[in-house]
Amino acid sequence: MNSFVKELIPQLIEWRRTFHALPELGFMEYITTYRIGKELEAMGFTLHVGKEALKEDSRLGLPKEADLLAHEEKAAAWGVEKEWLEKMRNGNTGLVAEWDTGKQGDHIGFRFDIDALPIKECAEESHLPSKNGFVSGEENVMHACAHDGHTTIGLGVAKYIASHSDELKGKFTLLFQPAEEGGRGARPMRDKGWLDDVDAFYSGHIGINSMDVGTIAATTKGFLASTKFDITFKGVSSHAGMHPELGKNALLAATTTANNLYGIPRHHDGVSRVNVGKLTAGSARNIISEDSFMEIELRGQTEKISNHMVERAMRIIKASAEMHDVDYSIESVGVTESMSCDEELIPKITQWCEGSEFVKEVQPVAPVSGSEDASLMMNRVQEHGGKATYMLFGTKLDYPHHHPQFDYEEEVLAVAVETYIRILKGGSGDV
Amino acid sequence: MNSFVKELIPQLIEWRRTFHALPELGFMEYITTYRIGKELEAMGFTLHVGKEALKEDSRLGLPKEADLLAHEEKAAAWGVEKEWLEKMRNGNTGLVAEWDTGKQGDHIGFRFDIDALPIKECAEESHLPSKNGFVSGEENVMHACAHDGHTTIGLGVAKYIASHSDELKGKFTLLFQPAEEGGRGARPMRDKGWLDDVDAFYSGHIGINSMDVGTIAATTKGFLASTKFDITFKGVSSHAGMHPELGKNALLAATTTANNLYGIPRHHDGVSRVNVGKLTAGSARNIISEDSFMEIELRGQTEKISNHMVERAMRIIKASAEMHDVDYSIESVGVTESMSCDEELIPKITQWCEGSEFVKEVQPVAPVSGSEDASLMMNRVQEHGGKATYMLFGTKLDYPHHHPQFDYEEEVLAVAVETYIRILKGGSGDV
Amino acid sequence: MNSFVKELIPQLIEWRRTFHALPELGFMEYITTYRIGKELEAMGFTLHVGKEALKEDSRLGLPKEADLLAHEEKAAAWGVEKEWLEKMRNGNTGLVAEWDTGKQGDHIGFRFDIDALPIKECAEESHLPSKNGFVSGEENVMHACAHDGHTTIGLGVAKYIASHSDELKGKFTLLFQPAEEGGRGARPMRDKGWLDDVDAFYSGHIGINSMDVGTIAATTKGFLASTKFDITFKGVSSHAGMHPELGKNALLAATTTANNLYGIPRHHDGVSRVNVGKLTAGSARNIISEDSFMEIELRGQTEKISNHMVERAMRIIKASAEMHDVDYSIESVGVTESMSCDEELIPKITQWCEGSEFVKEVQPVAPVSGSEDASLMMNRVQEHGGKATYMLFGTKLDYPHHHPQFDYEEEVLAVAVETYIRILKGGSGDV
Amino acid sequence: MNSFVKELIPQLIEWRRTFHALPELGFMEYITTYRIGKELEAMGFTLHVGKEALKEDSRLGLPKEADLLAHEEKAAAWGVEKEWLEKMRNGNTGLVAEWDTGKQGDHIGFRFDIDALPIKECAEESHLPSKNGFVSGEENVMHACAHDGHTTIGLGVAKYIASHSDELKGKFTLLFQPAEEGGRGARPMRDKGWLDDVDAFYSGHIGINSMDVGTIAATTKGFLASTKFDITFKGVSSHAGMHPELGKNALLAATTTANNLYGIPRHHDGVSRVNVGKLTAGSARNIISEDSFMEIELRGQTEKISNHMVERAMRIIKASAEMHDVDYSIESVGVTESMSCDEELIPKITQWCEGSEFVKEVQPVAPVSGSEDASLMMNRVQEHGGKATYMLFGTKLDYPHHHPQFDYEEEVLAVAVETYIRILKGGSGDV
């Protein structure tokens, strides 16, 4: 199988650079989804595109309708077929690809995230994508979290499945997930039921500086459950000099909320976090503010801690609104869960990767931080008795994720494809 | 009539010093009420003592039961007759004295407040009551607001009525009110109905430094409506190191309330005030506080402003409790209203006092501040079509009201008695 | 003189509508200043334009340089002569016009404010300027505070002076002031010294609903001293999930400031106000905020109260910054003072206006609220022994000042011009 | 050696009950110290009592002088010799006992804490000390944290050393430490230098419910570094109705501090805690508060986190004082450090205890929470290259530590004495 991957490398690089050059934000991956879909269609996969892949109501943090429409027009102009676009209308991007070998065996799921970030990519020569001509062509949008690579890896794995079906057993489901950033896209895919009968689930991320290309981690540890809320307060304006007593001060509702959120008590069981990242309120100096808006994020090491943070936060928001006699709304715009990789996969993955030309070392576990919405899929799989892990694929990084100069060693693509191939061969019980 | 007053002066001084030497706090004026009553009884007044004079349920800010019981025992030991004590049991102090001339004429009401303050009186020679041997005999209780004088004036006026009944017309009601401090005693007297058919109502205060003895003000301006609340929060304690997440923090409910009360917006219509005068919370350093307590006061120039302050304060208290998931209670422990003296009384009082040996000058109006619960009686009288005023009787003050060295010129007593006599003669239509 | 005004009416209306159709924001009145100047130049006034009229350093709340440049280009394109534009470069708008009769007499100053507001004018037929074709031609800029009328009145008064110089005595200074909105433009004119030897100073405003056209108020009462601050906090950002302890939270510095500003204690001496009208902070949900910005306004009935508010506010801002270890800056972007009109002008103005066909009634005083930076000029005049007043010119208003449908009865223009003419004739000692 | 302990049991129980019946609060252990000292004196130890054992200036959270004096009188009346009392005057309690075998060997330190708690002991029959007649004879003081047992264990160990000196090598220092509660007494003993040349240091606690009598833990894990502050704010009072602007509000300085302390950000490195356990402010409802007082506690898993908490707290206190223009003082009244038991002692202790009749099981580590000032001694020993551990001695507990019904199985005393004997024999190189 090494030769399969070796021969695929030029294709992997081409895919990666093509996706990198045309990044799309979460729930606006119309062109990206179409491109992925056309490749998979050619390979013979059964496809479920857009609304077929997502439970629409479960989406969180959807972009504004005007932005969606504008981007749909752009996608149409670019050449996305009308039939495809119809399936994706109104922010229903992403797709699910199924392959059934027809032989008895496990059902294995893989998840690849495909969205980009609202970051302006570095245009200087020192930045490889700029130097080599595949820098982002979109103003202020950039693949700065390696999802171009993840997408590429997914296509590589798909190609192996399609071309080696007779050697494989069981069934494979590949989820090309939109809107991972902000923890928004896993939920609608999970709620559509794709994970309900999966026996083993694999996902992962490119890049952790402490591991070289060729080193992978079989599991990770440290992701926090997170909840993202957008909060709006609506009061009544009043002339602050003339009638201060008539106003219902939405600015004060927000500032009171902010000051008290940070005071949510620590939890006996472990790590928690809270942040108010953004606050805007008011329209004019001498007007008692009628509107305010906040973006907050709550995290916890376990679901219990996470729930503690959310329950307390909602209590504070409600009470601050009541204190200032204003209306409020809380919109959930993203959620990730805590996760726990199945440790029994460690010796298996280690064994399956033995002798690989690409995977030179398998670490049992890598420490991570932040949040990841693959957690929702993993937890669903595990609830139904399946096994799941989230892996890391090592590469040197000169700049951290989400940096305008983020880039990685493209050799990691082959490592990851190889890893997944060995897993699907091993995991599906191939002999 | 000047000669009546002149001859009364030694008696006035004796009364005043006797009351001064045995001060009693609000709703604990058992001995004071008894002493007043015995004098009035001897003069022939119809008396309504204690529960006969008050609507019990309307009392606010009652002392603790243990303190009441202790003081009742003390009063019994002092010599208050059992029958009298029974009428006053459980903090029902004060009395109302009625006199009907039997002749057609107006019904005139006078109010005299009789309670003392929780202040330790100065024991030094430089303080006249100490030097002259009538300093307070009660530890930490003192007539530092001249109510000893007000009580004395009431008795002087009563003596005139009783001895000149045939020269007078109409009916006279004298209210010897308990618990003026804190705005607690006027309410239960008002609610008993004594003011409901009063045609003219007079009350006043000794002492404003800008007016000499002999100068009086026919009306006053500037008292604010006030509301006094005791607030209690009840949460759940928890070990702050072990389980910070289990506590429901009553201390934070109180501090949040305090910080937000001061931010109640100013009012277009005029002056408002807010203060948290006292706050206690918590029991031990490493325990999340289960209990907290606050004493607050809200004021407004008009009832509308006062209501604005109260409504906003209650909203803040409730929301702070909800924010920290604790229970709360708000106890009203005192209330005064804004008042508006009837200006048409100014020329009348001025005319009635003309030619007096004691009242040398009548100012139309004096500015005051603070609050006064005679306001509740005045407003009741005015609602029913009667006229009302609150007057001031000038005297030099070396120390302000409520000071441990507070004292006044005793000559003011004759001035005030004379003023009220001229009013009741003039006001009842006597020629 | 009535006939002068009567004949001037068509011209007044034309001026007013011309200014209305091309409104300019404060310190960007390049075209407005030029238009006024060309009229006055033609009349023979001695002009001091832009930098000649203002002390540059004393300007507050200057627009951004880019906006100034853009507007200067626009003015050049419109036809403002290069020489004029040079004098006004970089937000030095407004002008002062002097006229000396050469005869001994008082020096009388008049102030007319010329700037517009950032309001989108109503485009509907029901709005007279829209119906009659002189609606604002500028997007989101509107003369919604009658300064188009004030400017017009100034030109009318100037025309009278220029055409009746031989009948007049003394000296006249007309200040066409920029940037009254926000209290920004009076200061640089005052600091240039124009008021230092003025004997009598007159200014005023169109419109108070309780007075019909033809009724004027000789003085006003109730303007509050005000101070406008822009506050910036600069902290250090940090990943809120990873390293919450490394951030220096500028958002919390702002919210802490906001919550505490409203709690500045009320003042014994009278009315005070405080408002945080605008607050923006932070860039992203999971980043501890590095920047925040607030627009606040403080008011007081007297300079003493105003200083109390400012001193307390600065203390709160500083302490909030220190609490969160962030830097801060406070920029004063506007200031008005309290004012006290000279009451002795009431009988004079009343007498001067007797018999006028236009001015039918002179009220002694009108209550107002809000703030007015003519106060700075008035106080300077009074400090040097001159007299000053701020008047009101009645008109029915269907919508309040600063409303997108604000409009007034154009008949008021003649009333105001007539008033000022009678004042300058009377005040300069003409018989 | 088992027989030594077995024979000692009646003595252990007697000691324990004697100490239990006469508990003394921290820095007031005059009688307790004297009793311990007399026993040790009889055994032949070299003693350093009170001021000889403590660095006076290093004491934190000293009781009020009046309380100390009263208790010294009580101790004198009880029978504490004058010479002993002189050494302990003014809260210098506790003692250090030294024993030198004269033979080459390690210097081993043991610490036993001797103070009681301000808790009213349960008087009911169901509470064993009450039933058996050794309930606390002191009102509101109780040995509810087993220090009576710790003291007893110390005497038992001492008796062994004194009676088996010829079998032992090296040197032994026994620290009978005052005022462990609040983290106040370890510091002055450490600063006196007793730990500076100790090779191995042992301390421990009775009772953890998950371990039966006979089970001990060789090390513990989880104590947090803690800092206890008493905070005082001093402002200026003012009549809240009359002159709200003149006050400098100490109550608001405290409430602002409280609200912001809870918002100190979490730390990347681990657990932190903050609590305001007590807050009192103000004297009267309508007076702006001049005084306020708070008791707070800060904790951190590491010294770095602890310092983060302390630095932020001090910043908040200072800024809150500045915000309200009041003075403040911060008094450190207790400090504990984080600790790390030397893991290499685990196998040694396990081995030394093998075959014991009393010590049936040695667990390597027990999880704990809370704080312990033995940490200061341990860290000093480890800094100088010594080894140290803090152990637990299992016993069933029907009620938790610090509960009015706290009690433990007295059999644990023998287990602990046996453990320390085996350690000192093993640790000093005995053969």
Side-chain angles (χ1 to χ4, degrees), chain D residues 335-372:
Chain D
V335 60
T336 71
E337 298 177 352
S338 57
M339 60 165 83
S340 175
C341 296
D342 285 296
E343 292 182 14
E344 60 196 88
L345 293 175
I346 299 174
K348 290 189 179 175
I349 293 170
T350 308
Q351 181 200 325
W352 294 330
C353 290
E354 264 168 24
S356 166
E357 181 184 340
F358 296 99
V359 185
K360 287 163 191 155
E361 188 189 343
V362 179
Q363 286 188 4
V365 60
V368 290
S369 56
S371 299
E372 178 39 89

Side-chain angles (χ1 to χ4, degrees), chain D residues 21 50 77 95 99 134 190 227 230 252 263 313 395-396 404 422 426:
Chain D
L95 61 81
W99 189 278
F134 62 96
R190 179 199 64 184
T227 306
D230 280 359
L252 277 179
T395 170
K396 190 163 164 298
R422 283 177 170 259

Side-chain angles (χ1 to χ4, degrees), chain A residues 295-314:
Chain A
E295 297 184 7
I296 74 168
E297 186 171 62
L298 306 156
R299 300 181 196 232
Q301 189 176 336
T302 65
E303 292 309 307
K304 187 178 166 194
I305 301 173
S306 181
N307 290 342
H308 158 75
M309 297 303 289
V310 167
E311 187 271 335
R312 293 270 188 156
M314 293 181 81

Side-chain angles (χ1 to χ4, degrees), chain B residues 3-301:
Chain B
S3 65
F4 170 83
V5 172
K6 199 172 290 174
E7 285 161 22
L8 192 62
I9 290 176
Q11 172 71 79
L12 291 174
I13 290 173
E14 193 206 311
W15 276 332
R16 186 262 166 150
R17 296 187 176 192
T18 309
F19 288 118
H20 190 89
L22 207 166
E24 295 174 300
L25 294 175
F27 291 130
M28 302 210 287
E29 310 92 334
Y30 297 107
I31 301 170
T32 304
T33 301
Y34 177 71
R35 277 175 159 173
I36 297 166
K38 294 305 280 185
E39 296 277 358
L40 295 170
E41 195 179 47
M43 295 178 196
F45 276 82
T46 304
L47 297 188
H48 308 272
V49 176
K51 294 169 196 171
E52 299 162 353
L54 307 174
K55 181 152 185 296
E56 284 192 67
D57 292 350
S58 293
R59 290 172 303 162
L60 298 172
L62 207 61
K64 286 177 196 156
E65 200 169 346
D67 292 344
L68 291 175
L69 281 171
H71 209 74
E72 287 168 18
E73 280 176 33
K74 190 169 176 177
W78 182 89
V80 175
E81 292 169 52
K82 200 176 166 199
E83 188 194 357
W84 285 70
L85 206 46
E86 284 312 312
K87 291 182 177 177
M88 297 189 282
R89 282 257 181 251
N90 193 29
N92 286 286
T93 49
L95 62 81
V96 173
E98 291 186 296
W99 191 278
D100 193 337
T101 63
K103 285 166 276 182
Q104 185 91 20
D106 278 356
H107 179 185
I108 301 184
F110 293 94
R111 179 274 222 160
F112 311 98
D113 39 2
I114 67 175
D115 57 320
L117 284 158
I119 291 174
K120 185 178 175 59
E121 186 160 14
C122 173
E124 292 170 28
E125 278 284 298
S126 60
H127 181 54
L128 193 101
S130 298
K131 188 178 171 191
N132 290 5
F134 61 98
V135 69
S136 166
E138 301 299 301
E139 180 77 9
N140 296 323
V141 186
M142 174 186 175
H143 269 299
C145 199
H147 296 187
D148 52 350
H150 298 171
T151 306
T152 296
I153 293 163
L155 289 179
V157 171
K159 198 167 185 79
Y160 182 85
I161 293 170
S163 59
H164 295 72
S165 184
D166 50 351
E167 298 174 18
L168 300 168
K169 301 200 298 191
K171 193 176 149 190
F172 303 96
T173 298
L174 280 58
L175 300 107
F176 288 85
Q177 179 203 308
E180 189 277 332
E181 301 293 347
R184 300 172 292 154
R187 198 160 169 263
M189 283 200 155
R190 179 199 64 183
D191 289 356
K192 194 74 173 184
W194 299 112
L195 289 314
D196 291 358
D197 67 345
V198 161
D199 297 304
F201 177 85
Y202 299 90
S203 192
H205 214 291
I206 288 174
I208 183 172
N209 223 352
S210 63
M211 305 194 308
D212 290 332
V213 167
T215 301
I216 68 165
T219 64
T220 47
K221 197 171 174 174
F223 282 124
L224 301 177
S226 74
T227 305
K228 293 167 217 300
F229 285 146
D230 280 358
I231 303 162
T232 308
F233 294 104
K234 179 78 184 172
V236 172
S237 70
S238 174
H239 190 287
M242 208 94 93
H243 280 293
E245 79 282 6
L246 297 183
K248 299 184 174 187
N249 199 323
L251 182 146
L252 277 179
T255 58
T256 301
T257 298
N259 283 13
N260 284 285
L261 282 176
Y262 285 93
I264 297 178
R266 280 103 167 133
H267 199 287
H268 170 269
D269 294 356
V271 175
S272 61
R273 294 284 184 268
V274 54
N275 195 50
V276 180
K278 216 164 179 175
L279 194 166
T280 58
S283 60
R285 190 184 309 278
N286 67 341
I287 300 296
I288 288 178
S289 163
E290 165 175 43
D291 294 292
S292 60
F293 173 77
M294 302 170 73
E295 297 184 8
I296 74 167
E297 187 172 60
L298 306 155
R299 301 179 194 233
Q301 189 176 336

